[in-house]
Amino acid sequence: MRYLILSDIHANAHALNAVLDDASRLGYDRTLCLGDLVGYGGAPAECIERTFALAPVGLIRGNHDKVCAGLESPALFNDVARKSVEWTRSVLSAGDLARLAALEPGPKVIARDLEICHGSPFDEDHYIFDASDAERAILTMTARLCFFGHTHVPAVFTSSRDPMQTGGALEPDEMRLPKRGPALINVGSVGQPRDGDARAAYGLFDVTRRTVRLRRVTYDIRGAQQQILRAGLPTWLATRLERGQ
Ligand code: ZN
């Protein structure tokens, strides 16, 4: 059983399409989506459509989905994010806004050993950036493995007593998960990576082999940027894509 793990698509259809092509080539059985389908990018409707068409077994909301759906005020968002919320709300159909509003909050348990959240297992909007955030999150996890998003930075946190397993034949981008202890895994962002690598990021979790692949995929960044600029969104939203910021 292999899960395709998508997070923080952020209305970047060019990146999403490239990721789905790559994932189809490698093969997967089920899809999990950790939220932030929209916000920042210029193709919110297409990203909602493509994501729902995958019929994810887990599909939870991110903070941008929540605000774009009108469930929460954008008061805490910065100027650029707020502008993108206003634009997104103006172009989405009532049906798409309703689909966003109906997204479940995380965390969500997918299987006995597996849960997903957008920010952290104890607060859907909380960022997990470092080991101390991760320690707090691990204490509140229901399942042993938790996939999270929100930071747009790929990361894996495990217990020091039960580190990642090594050895055996693995792909270059593949790692074996700990045998017993907990693991918190961020596969990065499909549509707005922020780790300095502009390529789209996603993950493949193989339950049987107990491995995770952190994939990076090149995509038509120029196309995504043109869509943002044509929409009249802030230029920074286009610039940051080529910088991976
Ligand atoms: Zn996000």
Side-chain angles (χ1 to χ4, degrees):
M1 159 77 92
R2 291 158 303 172
Y3 286 99
L4 163 65
I5 298 168
L6 307 173
S7 190
D8 297 279
I9 296 163
H10 282 293
N12 186 340
H14 290 83
L16 179 60
N17 291 336
V19 159
L20 294 179
D21 284 350
D22 187 68
S24 298
R25 196 172 52 73
L26 295 173
Y28 61 92
D29 305 298
R30 292 180 179 177
T31 304
L32 298 173
C33 180
L34 316 189
D36 276 357
L37 278 62
V38 301
Y40 297 137
E46 189 180 342
C47 288
I48 292 172
E49 193 54 49
R50 281 221 80 177
T51 304
F52 273 79
L54 297 167
V57 292
L59 171 54
I60 54 173
R61 70 188 184 188
N63 50 324
H64 286 259
D65 303 321
K66 217 173 11 174
V67 174
C68 287
L71 297 177
E72 209 171 82
S73 141
L76 291 176
F77 276 16
N78 63 36
D79 212 37
V80 166
R82 212 165 31 237
K83 283 203 175 92
S84 98
V85 168
E86 282 160 17
W87 177 82
T88 303
R89 283 181 63 75
S90 76
V91 295
L92 283 181
S93 67
D96 278 341
L97 289 170
R99 286 209 270 189
L100 288 183
L103 291 176
E104 275 184 273
K108 183 181 169 67
V109 175
I110 304 298
R112 198 171 57 84
D113 233 14
L114 172 66
E115 75 179 306
I116 58 173
C117 61
H118 183 65
S120 85
F122 56 87
D123 178 347
E124 61 178 330
D125 295 333
H126 189 92
Y127 291 92
I128 300 173
F129 274 116
D130 56 27
S132 76
D133 297 328
E135 216 166 293
R136 186 171 166 208
I138 281 171
L139 289 175
T140 58
M141 278 159 58
T142 309
R144 208 174 60 77
L145 303 175
C146 178
F147 286 88
F148 70 101
H150 200 30
T151 63
H152 299 205
V153 176
V156 182
F157 299 100
T158 59
S159 154
S160 52
R161 278 166 303 186
D162 185 15
M164 307 286 280
Q165 304 291 298
T166 51
L170 293 171
E171 298 297 329
D173 56 5
E174 193 174 37
M175 62 186 108
R176 201 159 270 142
L177 291 167
K179 255 201 182 107
R180 289 173 296 276
L184 262 172
I185 304 137
N186 188 328
V187 299
S189 165
V190 171
Q192 195 195 78
R194 293 183 191 159
D195 60 343
D197 183 340
R199 294 174 299 168
Y202 79 97
L204 289 167
F205 168 42
D206 190 318
V207 178
T208 319
R209 299 180 64 227
R210 312 188 60 74
T211 58
V212 172
R213 294 184 75 167
L214 296 177
R215 298 285 299 163
R216 297 308 284 252
V217 184
T218 52
Y219 74 96
D220 178 11
I221 293 179
R222 190 63 62 85
Q225 290 176 317
Q226 279 164 357
Q227 223 163 17
I228 285 169
L229 297 174
R230 266 202 308 270
L233 287 162
T235 311
W236 165 240
L237 291 175
T239 311
R240 70 188 302 177
L241 291 183
E242 74 198 37
R243 298 190 188 168
Q245 274 181 9

